[in-house]
Amino acid sequence: MAKLKLVSVASLEDHRDRVWSVSWNPTGTLLASCGGDKAIRVWGLEGPPGEGKWVCKTILTDGHSKTIRSVGWSPCGNMLASTSFDATVCIWDKRSGEFQCTSTLEGHENEVKSATWSVSGSLLATCSRDKSVWIWEVLSDGEEFECASVLHHHTQDVKCVLWHPKEEILASASYDDTIKMYREEEDDWYCSASLEGHSSTVWSISFEASGNRLASCSADQTVKIWKIYRPGNPEGIPPSPDGEPVWKCVCTLSGYHQRDIYSISWSPCSGLIATACGDDAIRIFAEAPSSDPNQPSFELVHEELKAHKSDVNTVAWHPKDPSLLASCSDDHSIKIWKFNFD
């Protein structure tokens, strides 16, 4: 495969502390960021096509009293959920023309690490250092949020939650080295699978566009690819004792990262996988063209060793443009990258 070349097309340095998270809106026209300065910044491209410049369009500062750990857009793009070390989740609504904090969700005992919206927009999931995952029903077109379930299946801090891109299946990753899957049955949410294989904290997870595979990254310095095998699958993999689909690790990428891998993003456009690492680097992996789906092989196609001056906390592929990638770091900066094949 041709080698990839990453070029930084924008360096956004308005945050006054480490930047924990970046998130594209569903159309890719806006990028939200948050961090230790307790502010959310919303960035957009201004100027003529091909000559535009990324500028900060909005700063949201009145929602949280401590570090903001993550931001996540609703599927409609009108709402943004932010999670904080102050143990709350803020819902920001821009349908009035400007972002307003219309709901503050309370219930977690301490730091809320992540929030994710289901593909339908009717559910929001949050997770916390308190070891719990909460599922909220979105009511009255986003005017109200009601707790539908509190899940206590992890034994340690839950770092990340993520909805399946096509179904109402929720995944969570934890300091207990595992990933859990949850489904609903008769208005009751339950843990349908536990994915075990990492030997240290699982920091981040990302579904492939189809939802049939999941990538995870860990403090054990590896990336793992997990594949779902549903009952009756042609490979003959038996279901769980309860008749549930099983997730199996079909590939492990090791030897590429020197420290904890904090974030992983599987591009919905190109299928490339990007990682953010505590060694200040961004790495991009591509699946080999002749790869066996049950034993896939991925190759490192680019390594940006000094992507930032400090830990890279998040990477996020653009939802529509396969050439754009956003990253953020402890160095207080956000970068927008464009890649080209040599």
Side-chain angles (χ1 to χ4, degrees):
M1 188 174 194
K3 284 291 180 185
L4 206 60
K5 185 178 181 183
L6 267 185
V7 178
S8 174
V9 294
S11 185
L12 313 175
E13 300 180 355
D14 291 18
H15 280 284
R16 297 190 208 95
D17 203 328
R18 67 179 59 178
V19 189
W20 276 114
S21 173
V22 285
S23 177
W24 296 100
N25 73 338
T27 57
T29 55
L30 298 172
L31 181 73
S33 62
C34 66
D37 60 6
K38 299 176 280 191
I40 298 166
R41 285 174 162 77
V42 180
W43 309 83
L45 200 55
E46 286 190 355
E51 301 175 25
K53 184 178 180 182
W54 288 92
V55 298
C56 183
K57 291 178 169 287
T58 307
I59 304 175
L60 308 173
T61 57
D62 57 351
H64 294 288
S65 61
K66 293 183 179 179
T67 290
I68 305 175
R69 185 63 177 83
S70 77
V71 280
W73 295 89
S74 64
C76 65
N78 287 322
M79 290 182 287
L80 188 66
S82 58
T83 70
S84 171
F85 287 7
D86 67 11
T88 71
V89 180
C90 283
I91 306 298
W92 305 85
D93 193 322
K94 71 179 182 74
R95 284 174 289 188
S96 65
E98 294 183 359
F99 282 98
Q100 293 181 321
C101 181
T102 54
S103 299
T104 299
L105 311 184
E106 299 178 338
H108 283 292
E109 294 175 16
N110 42 41
E111 302 169 9
V112 189
K113 298 296 182 70
S114 172
T116 176
W117 303 79
S118 66
V119 65
S120 67
S122 63
L123 296 167
L124 178 76
T126 59
C127 66
S128 167
R129 188 178 173 184
D130 66 13
K131 308 175 190 175
S132 72
V133 172
W134 289 49
I135 296 175
W136 309 79
E137 287 186 28
V138 184
L139 305 173
S140 306
D141 199 25
E143 299 290 329
E144 295 177 44
F145 292 77
E146 184 177 286
C147 179
S149 189
V150 179
L151 301 160
H152 292 282
H153 296 278
H154 285 292
T155 59
Q156 298 290 340
D157 181 356
V158 189
K159 299 293 187 185
C160 177
V161 280
L162 184 66
W163 287 101
H164 188 282
K166 298 191 182 295
E167 301 176 55
E168 287 190 346
I169 298 171
L170 180 67
S172 62
S174 170
Y175 187 72
D176 68 10
D177 310 347
T178 72
I179 301 159
K180 307 290 187 189
M181 295 286 180
Y182 310 91
R183 304 168 76 96
E184 186 185 28
E185 186 176 294
E186 297 176 356
D187 295 329
D188 191 27
W189 287 87
Y190 66 98
C191 180
S192 60
S194 181
L195 285 58
E196 299 173 10
H198 283 293
S199 60
S200 191
T201 302
V202 187
W203 281 105
S204 176
I205 47 181
S206 183
F207 281 103
E208 185 184 27
S210 69
N212 291 328
R213 294 189 294 180
L214 178 79
S216 60
C217 64
S218 169
D220 68 12
Q221 303 176 13
T222 71
V223 169
K224 289 186 181 291
I225 308 296
W226 309 81
K227 185 175 187 291
I228 189 171
Y229 291 91
R230 303 179 191 275
N233 63 81
E235 293 83 6
I237 306 291
S240 74
D242 299 327
E244 296 286 347
V246 295
W247 289 84
K248 286 192 168 291
C249 179
V250 292
C251 179
T252 299
L253 301 174
S254 59
Y256 298 103
H257 301 83
Q258 311 310 316
R259 293 192 180 176
D260 289 30
I261 311 167
Y262 291 123
S263 175
I264 193 161
S265 180
W266 201 327
S267 171
C269 305
S270 67
L272 294 171
I273 293 175
T275 60
C277 189
D279 62 10
D280 312 345
I282 293 171
R283 293 173 179 86
I284 297 176
F285 298 87
E287 189 168 4
S290 57
S291 186
D292 176 351
N294 299 303
Q295 291 180 302
S297 58
F298 287 77
E299 55 189 6
L300 179 69
V301 292
H302 186 73
E303 190 172 36
E304 194 71 23
L305 288 176
K306 297 187 185 302
H308 285 273
K309 295 173 186 173
S310 190
D311 293 9
V312 189
N313 292 320
T314 301
V315 280
W317 286 108
H318 192 279
K320 303 293 183 185
D321 184 341
S323 71
L324 289 182
L325 178 74
S327 64
C328 64
S329 168
D330 279 5
D331 68 9
H332 304 189
S333 78
I334 299 152
K335 290 189 178 181
I336 311 288
W337 304 86
K338 189 174 181 66
F339 73 79
N340 303 290
F341 286 98
D342 284 347

